[in-house]
Amino acid sequence: MDSRTTEFEQMLDTIFSRLDKTDVRLLMRVWSARTGKQESPGSGVPADLIKDMKNEYIPTGDLRMLEKDMTAAGISFPSVVRDLSDVPEDLKYTKTTEAAVGPTGGELEIPGFVKLVVPPGVLQQDTMITISTVDVAAILRDSESFNWTSGYPWSLGEDVCPRELLEQVLFSPAVDVNLHGAELNGDLEVQTWRPSGSEGMECLLLKHHDGEGWTDITASTVCRMYPDKISISLRSFSPVAYVWAPVEAVISVGKMIVNALSSRTLDCRFAAYIKPMANDVHFHVVCRDQSVETDDYLPGFTKCGSNLAMFDLFHGDVLEVAVSVRGGQSESKPLELRSNPCHNKYGQNIQMLLDRPNGDCVKGEVDVKKKPSFRTVCQFIFQEEDDITPSKGGKTKGHSKKRSQASPPLPKKKRKELKMHQRDEEAGPSAVRADTTGAVDMEESFEKVIEATSHKWDDLARKLGFSENQIDGIHNSKIDQDHRCREMLRRWRDREGRGATLQVLKQALINIGKRWTAEGL
């Protein structure tokens, strides 16, 4: 046995050691149906069958077959392997791909999982389309386990469905299609595989609608069944889950999973809170479901900015929360959403310690994106009020300007709005201040833009006149966001020549919500 095989076997051992008895039992059922090996009766799984199962995965030297079996069994494979250093990064999250498709039609595919077929004439113009898988097991699971049944009974009550029935349910990969606002002249076809062991079962199609929850669209959807795949036709898109259930239980299972998914769907708002210290601040970004009707937070913290999520989120979604302080540091942290804390008064938070740039009040931007596609979830500006900032001696600083005694003090929120309005007014009607510094080192400016904005390089590219095909080409030619941003800026400068001015770059940054980055150039 060579070293690579030994390392792969050790990785499998680590993965299997994380599975509980229910995980193994669900996985064994799918594996037995696919391989024809005898499934163990009863609740236990003999050690020799587990060994046989591992040995069947080892010759491939690839985790993708195990990933597919876990998906079919309703086990969140990304959650199992996310913190394992030897596992490839693309297996640690849901899968996504995008490409431009035009009026002549075309196909997009996540190999081994889902294919989108765009017939000729359905699109009116070249359109960027993104397809992603959705980890249904991660939405429904409990934090202590990896399979979808571990979250039972969710918030639905103990008698919603017998547990023994849940373990008969199978899954095809759930999929989300994003047309980025394009209108269709006809249906698109979505193809995915059907799980081993689903023979004689019925497939439920459950679709999510932002702000409305999940619904069963099986009866209203054109669906074609094949021995190894399922194909559906749709004209409007949002996440669709494929659930296989025994014929006699399909109605009760469908109703239960619709309600369970809806209970784990979050209509979020994000808020930033600051607790001032002498030389730095405690900074928390808090996520709450909008059903929580309060902005109250921990003692000593003051709200300094907020905004709503642009679309619904799910329990188990992995977000990247990036905080950029004007004139100071930039920091980002991951946040794996949990429905229970998001419905709590204090929400689910990430915590940072931010330095004060030059001892001034802290202000900047919060940018929340969903991994792995880095689709923008929420953006907002935060600003610390200057009358709550402790001085170095520990006392609170007041405003340096005196107010007329006849005028009552303005509420903090109004003062904040007034300051931001005044700053915008000072910037002039073009929203870009005149550059009076003469020649500007564009390379130095590019580095600042890359540091602060590489996560939004594609939005910036659109404002600088790049087409979707050009953006797609840059995306595919470079390995990460920083390199893509640098390549895009280089191409813009080469293309525009003397027209690639700092003023144009600043305006483009402001147009994508990066005013402070622009003003810092």
Side-chain angles (χ1 to χ4, degrees):
M1 184 180 295
D2 60 31
S3 60
R4 180 176 297 180
T5 302
T6 301
E7 291 173 359
F8 185 74
E9 187 172 0
Q10 291 172 346
M11 190 188 309
L12 279 178
D13 287 339
T14 301
I15 292 172
F16 272 81
S17 71
R18 297 183 166 202
L19 305 181
D20 62 22
K21 291 181 179 179
T22 303
D23 297 332
V24 174
R25 191 164 61 248
L26 294 173
L27 179 60
M28 177 65 70
R29 180 181 172 221
V30 171
W31 175 81
S32 296
R34 181 173 58 78
T35 63
K37 300 289 181 68
Q38 181 64 42
E39 183 180 358
S40 173
S43 59
V45 179
D48 58 340
L49 270 183
I50 295 178
K51 183 178 180 180
D52 287 347
M53 187 159 52
K54 290 181 184 178
N55 288 338
E56 198 262 340
Y57 294 123
I58 289 173
T60 66
D62 191 333
L63 292 174
R64 296 177 199 280
M65 181 55 70
L66 176 59
E67 179 187 25
K68 290 179 69 173
D69 284 352
M70 284 192 175
T71 299
I75 300 169
S76 175
F77 182 82
S79 300
V80 176
V81 303
R82 188 165 293 139
D83 62 344
L84 297 181
S85 59
D86 294 337
V87 173
E89 283 297 311
D90 65 316
L91 298 182
K92 296 181 179 181
Y93 301 94
T94 53
K95 303 179 182 302
T96 187
T97 189
E98 62 181 6
V101 181
T104 58
E107 296 181 353
L108 280 80
E109 184 174 8
I110 298 176
F113 280 83
V114 63
K115 178 188 288 187
L116 179 72
V117 180
V118 183
V122 170
L123 291 171
Q124 302 172 22
Q125 59 187 8
D126 287 351
T127 301
M128 184 61 67
I129 300 177
T130 306
I131 57 173
S132 307
T133 57
V134 179
D135 192 350
V136 172
I139 299 174
L140 296 176
R141 77 181 183 96
D142 181 80
S143 59
E144 301 300 320
S145 188
F146 298 111
N147 70 81
W148 78 280
T149 68
S150 61
Y152 178 89
W154 303 282
S155 57
L156 311 180
E158 289 290 346
D159 59 348
V160 290
C161 218
R163 270 191 176 274
E164 56 270 19
L165 179 59
L166 302 186
E167 295 193 10
Q168 298 180 47
V169 173
L170 297 171
F171 297 86
S172 294
V175 62
D176 187 17
V177 178
N178 187 351
L179 299 174
H180 302 284
E183 295 184 359
L184 301 176
N185 294 326
D187 291 345
L188 306 186
E189 182 183 359
V190 182
Q191 301 175 3
T192 187
W193 47 259
R194 61 181 296 175
S196 300
S198 62
E199 299 80 6
M201 303 177 79
E202 286 198 18
C203 183
L204 290 158
L205 302 175
L206 310 180
K207 187 176 183 181
H208 169 260
H209 305 270
D210 265 357
E212 300 177 16
W214 293 74
T215 58
D216 185 342
I217 62 167
T218 309
S220 61
T221 303
V222 176
C223 180
R224 291 168 290 278
M225 299 284 188
Y226 302 92
D228 61 344
K229 69 179 181 180
I230 178 173
S231 172
I232 64 173
S233 297
L234 292 173
R235 186 173 297 195
S236 64
F237 289 91
S238 55
V240 177
Y242 300 72
V243 181
W244 299 82
V247 174
E248 66 276 9
V250 69
I251 294 177
S252 59
V253 168
K255 182 178 179 180
M256 177 200 65
I257 297 182
V258 162
N259 291 334
L261 287 170
S262 295
S263 74
R264 294 294 186 95
T265 300
L266 299 165
D267 182 10
C268 293
R269 71 179 188 277
F270 293 83
Y273 292 84
I274 279 181
K275 183 176 182 179
M277 310 298 286
N279 299 313
D280 49 37
V281 298
H282 293 286
F283 187 83
H284 292 188
V285 178
V286 180
C287 178
R288 298 185 182 96
D289 187 83
Q290 289 202 70
S291 61
V292 180
E293 298 179 352
T294 182
D295 282 330
D296 293 343
Y297 196 53
L298 300 173
F301 282 84
T302 302
K303 183 179 175 182
C304 58
S306 67
N307 204 357
L308 301 177
M310 297 180 182
F311 49 88
D312 283 355
L313 299 169
F314 305 122
H315 175 94
D317 277 350
V318 180
L319 309 179
E320 190 76 10
V321 181
V323 177
S324 300
V325 178
R326 184 182 181 188
Q329 73 200 80
S330 295
E331 189 172 346
S332 64
K333 288 188 175 183
L335 177 68
E336 185 171 348
L337 283 183
R338 292 283 176 259
S339 61
N340 284 343
C342 287
H343 284 95
N344 183 279
K345 172 182 177 180
Y346 297 111
Q348 184 176 2
N349 68 48
I350 58 106
Q351 304 179 13
M352 299 179 181
L353 189 64
L354 302 181
D355 297 330
R356 293 188 180 282
N358 302 317
D360 295 333
C361 292
V362 176
K363 51 189 174 182
E365 297 173 337
V366 173
D367 191 356
V368 183
K369 291 188 178 294
K370 184 176 178 179
K371 298 181 75 171
S373 64
F374 287 95
R375 181 184 179 188
T376 297
V377 173
C378 179
Q379 294 175 321
F380 61 90
I381 294 170
F382 66 88
Q383 181 170 339
E384 178 187 17
E385 294 294 343
D386 58 3
D387 63 342
I388 63 171
T389 307
S391 67
K392 292 184 178 180
K395 296 182 180 180
T396 301
K397 295 192 295 185
H399 287 283
S400 59
K401 295 183 179 180
K402 294 182 179 180
R403 296 192 186 98
S404 168
Q405 292 183 354
S407 301
L410 291 171
K412 290 180 181 178
K413 183 176 180 181
K414 290 295 184 182
R415 290 203 305 272
K416 176 180 174 182
E417 292 173 351
L418 180 59
K419 288 178 187 175
M420 295 184 68
H421 176 72
Q422 289 172 337
R423 190 182 69 218
D424 289 345
E425 287 293 309
E426 291 168 0
S430 68
V432 180
R433 295 176 181 170
D435 178 17
T436 59
T437 60
V440 177
D441 186 345
M442 290 297 285
E443 286 296 334
E444 181 179 341
S445 296
F446 283 178
E447 291 304 317
K448 291 180 180 179
V449 171
I450 293 165
E451 181 179 358
T453 319
S454 64
H455 60 286
K456 297 183 67 176
W457 74 270
D458 51 343
D459 292 337
L460 181 59
R462 293 182 183 96
K463 298 302 181 183
L464 292 174
F466 286 81
S467 69
E468 294 298 335
N469 283 338
Q470 290 170 325
I471 292 172
D472 189 45
I474 295 171
H475 181 277
N476 293 332
S477 68
K478 299 299 177 182
I479 61 173
D480 57 34
Q481 305 289 59
D482 283 1
H483 285 85
R484 290 164 186 157
C485 189
R486 182 174 285 105
E487 175 67 12
M488 180 272 296
L489 291 170
R490 183 191 65 78
R491 293 190 189 187
W492 170 68
R493 181 185 58 193
D494 293 347
R495 183 190 70 201
E496 299 297 328
R498 290 180 178 272
T501 66
L502 189 60
Q503 292 297 100
V504 173
L505 181 57
K506 283 183 175 182
Q507 185 64 63
L509 287 165
I510 288 171
N511 289 343
I512 65 168
K514 290 290 186 179
R515 176 183 299 277
W516 288 333
T517 300
E519 292 181 354
L521 298 182

